[in-house]
Amino acid sequence: MDVRPAGLHHVTAIASDPQANADFYLNALGMRLVKQTVNFDDPGTYHLYYGDRAGNPGTIMTFFPWPGAPKGRIGAGQATTTSFSVPEGSLGWWQRHLASLGIAAARPTERLEEDVLTLRDPDGLAIELVASTDVHGTDPWDGGRVPVEHAIRGIRAVTLTEHDPERTTDMLSGQLGFHLVAEDGARFRFHATGAGAGVGAVVDVIADPSAQPGLVAAGTVHHIAYRAPDPRAQLSWRTALVEDGVEVTEVRDRTYFQSIYFREPGGVLLEIATDGPGFDYDEPLLELGRKLRLPPWLQPDQAQIEAALPPLKLGT
């Protein structure tokens, strides 16, 4: 079986202050907190998942917020920008909304026939809002401060910055089945070709030989995850990658999906995550993200884990 993801499942980044992180993604970007849990490998740290109403794959931005984490460096060998899709004609509203919150944003620019608004989150993570007519099939959140007619529809794209992009683009177009659809100077745009490719289907690769190597810490992306429709496809894809000489982890249980991890030749950590079971696996859809949820093996220690975590206020 060919490895052909339909698009992104989620993007995971590192933050410092969990409250500042939640305030920005809930209030400034108007996303829903669809899961409040912990880093399974470091239960003293939150793992916060933001997305649309149901936490559909392709809408999810997640964070490990380590209080006091050192600032990272955005650079080569990283996913350097995460782009969210908003409805066409919405960028003027977003400019006014961000300005009202004291959040700086660049003037919209046109790139590859799309209007793009650039800003940064509290830790300096590079964010773009892209006006798009794409039909994503997602369920934008209407319970926050962003009206549904302007709300984020999902992740539009990620941008990888590479010193030498050739091996990265070879993996995208070869082992991962992406298709090169556009070039703009040093930017190469690829599109997922898996069944139902839509939300999160775009990946841009920028060639920048002079870029400093990236340093993963607060304000940088830790990894990006692509979608596998089910565990059977994931295992088949894993076998195909291993047979092609890629070092891939064993399947890891993330409760809400199953994951495998590997690095592309430029160094960016990639994940392939299953669409299910989904974020309503352990709590009703209407209550997503309201309370801390732990995997079964950590539940006996829930009281101690909760006591060690910093308080998190979720009101808008």
Side-chain angles (χ1 to χ4, degrees), residues 45-85:
T45 302
Y46 283 112
H47 193 175
L48 304 178
Y49 291 76
Y50 306 96
D52 70 353
R53 178 188 297 274
N56 284 302
T59 72
I60 303 298
M61 187 82 191
T62 99
F63 287 88
F64 300 129
W66 276 291
K71 188 170 181 59
R73 181 175 63 238
I74 297 175
Q78 280 186 340
T80 48
T81 305
T82 303
S83 303
F84 293 98
S85 179

Side-chain angles (χ1 to χ4, degrees), residues 106-144:
R107 292 178 62 85
T109 59
E110 184 176 328
R111 185 178 65 224
L112 291 172
E113 300 182 352
E114 295 176 330
D115 291 327
V116 179
L117 182 68
T118 303
L119 62 147
R120 292 185 181 270
D121 82 355
D123 288 294
L125 189 74
I127 298 291
E128 291 179 343
L129 301 178
V130 180
S132 173
T133 58
D134 288 356
V135 177
H136 291 312
T138 58
D139 189 10
W141 178 231
D142 61 356

Side-chain angles (χ1 to χ4, degrees), residues 161-173:
T161 298
E162 307 283 4
H163 284 141
D164 180 359
E166 184 174 356
R167 291 191 301 156
T168 297
T169 58
D170 284 349
M171 172 176 270
L172 287 171
S173 60

Side-chain angles (χ1 to χ4, degrees), residues 186-272:
R187 182 183 296 266
F188 302 86
R189 172 157 292 182
F190 291 82
H191 199 282
T193 57
V199 63
V202 176
V203 56
D204 284 354
V205 180
I206 292 178
D208 187 352
S210 64
Q212 285 187 302
L215 175 65
V216 176
T220 66
V221 170
H222 184 270
H223 65 270
I224 60 176
Y226 285 98
R227 296 174 58 186
D230 51 54
R232 181 178 178 181
Q234 183 188 61
L235 284 173
S236 296
W237 293 359
R238 182 184 183 279
T239 298
L241 289 165
V242 169
E243 289 177 348
D244 220 9
V246 180
E247 293 187 14
V248 187
T249 67
E250 297 297 324
V251 175
R252 297 179 181 173
D253 182 4
R254 300 309 190 198
T255 301
Y256 313 107
F257 46 87
Q258 306 295 311
S259 300
I260 58 174
Y261 301 85
F262 57 98
R263 291 191 184 273
E264 56 85 22
V268 179
L269 182 61
L270 305 181
E271 174 184 352
I272 294 177

